[in-house]
Amino acid sequence: MKINLFAKLILLSFFTTSCAQTEKAETQIAWDTWGVPHISATTVEDLFFAQGWAQMHNHANLILELYGSSRGKGAEYWGQEKFENDMLIHTLGFGELAAAWEEKQDPEIKTIYAAFIKGMNAYANAHPDTIDDKNAQVLPLTTKDMNMHSMYVIFTRFIGGKDLGRIQEWPDMGSNTYAIAPKRSASGNAMLVQNPHLPWWQEFLFFESHLNLNGKNMYGTTLVGFPGIAIGFNENLGWSHTDNTIDNADTYELELKDGGYLLDGERKEFEVTSKIIKVKQDDGSIVDQEIPLMKTVHGPVVNKSANKVLALRMVGLDRPNMFLQWWRMINSATFTEFEEALKMAQIPFWNVMYADTQGEIFYLFNGLVPKRSSGDWAYWDRVIPGGKSADVWTEVHNYDDLPKVKNPEGGWLQNANDPPWTSTIPMTLNPDDYPSYMAPQYMPFRPQRAARMLIEDESITFDELVAYKHSTRLEFADRILDDLFVAIDASSSAKAKEAKTVLEVWDREADADSKGMLLFYNWANKFNVWNDSNYIEQWSMNNPNTTPDGLADPANAVQLLEQAAVEIETKFGSLETPWGDYYRLKYNDKNLPANGIDGSMGVFRVAWPGGGDENNMYVGGGDSWVGVIEFGDAVKAKVLLSYGNATQKGSPHNGDQLELFSKKELRDAWFTKAEVEAHTARIEVMTQKGFREKE
């Protein structure tokens, strides 16, 4: 009897322990009040399955549109308007490259992709009512789709975007980032600012999530449709990316001869194939359209005329493990581990800015820079006459060759899409120590403003760093208004003198209530800020953050101000019209006063125009994700995803953070278990088929 009782107690203890372990190991998604998923799991497979599910919950139709387009079947699904996009994808050979990548990829990233895609498909199967009829045909999604979508975004929008003419002339597509060392921090802790600037639509939208794998916290963002975290932080470290001044794609102009092309004076044959693109007609029928595909030793032909062709060569086609590198970065606990991840050299683009709990700060001019036989930046920053085989590069520089700065004497690092040389001032990087094609030499007004705010503050608090991030003060106004006022005083223009009285009391900021910003903005656009000939002292590498300066033609500057003043007064009735009355945040169902502008005039808070009507101009991009992080004993972080964390129709999170943007505020990143529990709106728990609501 005692033996049976003992056995029962053992069994009961085992059962209780097993249940506790099962409950503890339960994979779940805790959705907070901003629509951010906090995902807890004990395996990589479950973690990424959950993230795929969560992304579809917030962006199902957007993801299907993006994947369908990146698949090269947009015309088949949605009609003729997608034909050119399909043709580009086939021209660049993404379908064949995706198949090759799937064979070469590390098993770990294959596992991540498979789980992520499985989670997205599971959500679509469980919630078919959330998917528009026109998008359902894209299902099911595959890991090949994942590869092709990453290729589409990375190669056609970033690496080859300029060469392909795929990037619109956005006023300031790029990013800001800061890293503050303990010696410059009021708390003695390192701090980091994450702040990418991208358009507020389609494949450029970010997705915010919090991942917890076996107790390891990882927080941040990545582009919608991508797994993992590409800009993030954990309990030990964090990083950000900015677009860098890297030339890692080249377009070659080739002369034709007898159906071939000339290389080193000799005729070579094109490699010619063809593809069939299916095109949906207005009546729903499908028509096959054949397209010819041509390749040269330089790369695929992307344009053709009667006498010449353009061929494109890009880096990164042999780097299939980019997302594995990001996964290794977010899993790093020390700078040594983080740098080992960087040395994988799978991410072909984007600067890296880093800070950690040990007080280390670091900047890397990251990316794959071709090893070129000769020539400087100007030689390669153009359409290259393609007649020389010596100009067809085959290798890239390794990690050790790239410009980088660790723990500079000044205690701070910045990048606002300027070349690496001005990452800290006084400069510690010398362009002469690197190949002349590595990066150009210039420092626009936005990075000048970035540097000024740090130079002028010997002891930076967390709140001050948040304020700097939101600064709308125009570096260009501080630089040029004194000269403009002198020119006005010397003139006989009554209208210019009237405008001067407005500009004299203007706060030199682009806040919603700033009176004078609209007038100055109109004048500055006419003046042409970055035309060097407009200044007495042109930009100089010797004085990178205090030039250009002085008006080369004061009379013309006054005349342009007269024109600007008349236009503003005629259209708005007053030269003192508040900036936010004209510049607006119009997104989803929101219409709010905006602040900021594009960075060309030296505004750190970037919000560039994306269109307008007769009376207003609307923000179309800029500050997308913002993260300000302090690495103390406990991580302190404030964040904002400007347009919200969802695009699904009817979602309360489609645009719900714009009011904070309008007020220049951030929100807390709920990172600890207690913070997440205190702000959880609902919980989903994992089942065999997906997730269900936890009661």
Side-chain angles (χ1 to χ4, degrees), residues 69 73-86 134 137 277-282 284-286:
S69 294
K73 292 189 175 184
E76 179 180 346
Y77 299 146
W78 301 298
Q80 183 67 38
E81 65 180 27
K82 295 284 188 177
F83 179 79
E84 286 190 12
N85 196 70
D86 289 353
K134 68 183 180 69
Q137 60 192 318
I277 296 179
K278 296 182 178 297
V279 184
K280 185 177 183 179
Q281 307 299 298
D282 291 341
S285 63
I286 302 293

Side-chain angles (χ1 to χ4, degrees), residues 321-332:
N321 292 313
M322 176 168 51
F323 289 88
L324 180 60
Q325 181 174 334
W326 274 317
W327 181 235
R328 298 271 169 84
M329 289 161 67
I330 196 64
N331 276 278
S332 299

Side-chain angles (χ1 to χ4, degrees), residues 61-131:
N61 284 291
L62 174 60
I63 288 171
L64 292 177
E65 290 171 13
L66 296 180
Y67 274 43
S69 294
S70 297
R71 192 183 278 173
K73 292 189 175 184
E76 179 180 346
Y77 299 146
W78 301 298
Q80 183 67 38
E81 65 180 27
K82 295 284 188 177
F83 179 79
E84 286 190 12
N85 196 70
D86 289 353
M87 190 163 69
L88 175 65
I89 290 166
H90 290 300
T91 296
L92 297 178
F94 287 166
E96 295 76 13
L97 184 59
W101 275 18
E102 289 201 307
E103 289 185 8
K104 298 176 182 177
Q105 279 169 331
D106 188 284
E108 188 174 3
I109 200 61
K110 289 183 179 181
T111 297
I112 289 171
Y113 279 10
F116 184 71
I117 293 295
K118 186 178 179 182
M120 289 201 288
N121 285 328
Y123 184 89
N125 290 333
H127 300 281
D129 54 308
T130 65
I131 295 170

Side-chain angles (χ1 to χ4, degrees), residues 494-530:
K495 183 58 67 177
K497 293 181 189 298
E498 181 186 347
K500 180 191 172 189
T501 63
V502 175
L503 295 176
E504 282 179 319
V505 296
W506 169 47
D507 57 13
R508 301 188 182 185
E509 294 182 349
D511 285 342
D513 58 356
S514 294
K515 297 178 180 180
M517 171 59 190
L518 183 56
L519 172 62
F520 186 79
Y521 175 73
N522 195 23
W523 172 79
N525 278 338
K526 296 177 185 298
F527 178 78
N528 193 355
V529 174
W530 266 103

Side-chain angles (χ1 to χ4, degrees), residues 382-416:
R382 59 173 184 151
V383 174
I384 312 298
K388 296 190 299 181
S389 57
D391 283 342
V392 184
W393 41 264
T394 57
E395 298 180 359
V396 298
H397 285 275
N398 61 31
Y399 176 83
D400 292 337
D401 292 343
L402 302 176
K404 57 184 76 67
V405 180
K406 184 180 180 186
N407 300 330
E409 181 64 27
W412 60 266
L413 290 161
Q414 74 81 31
N415 185 265

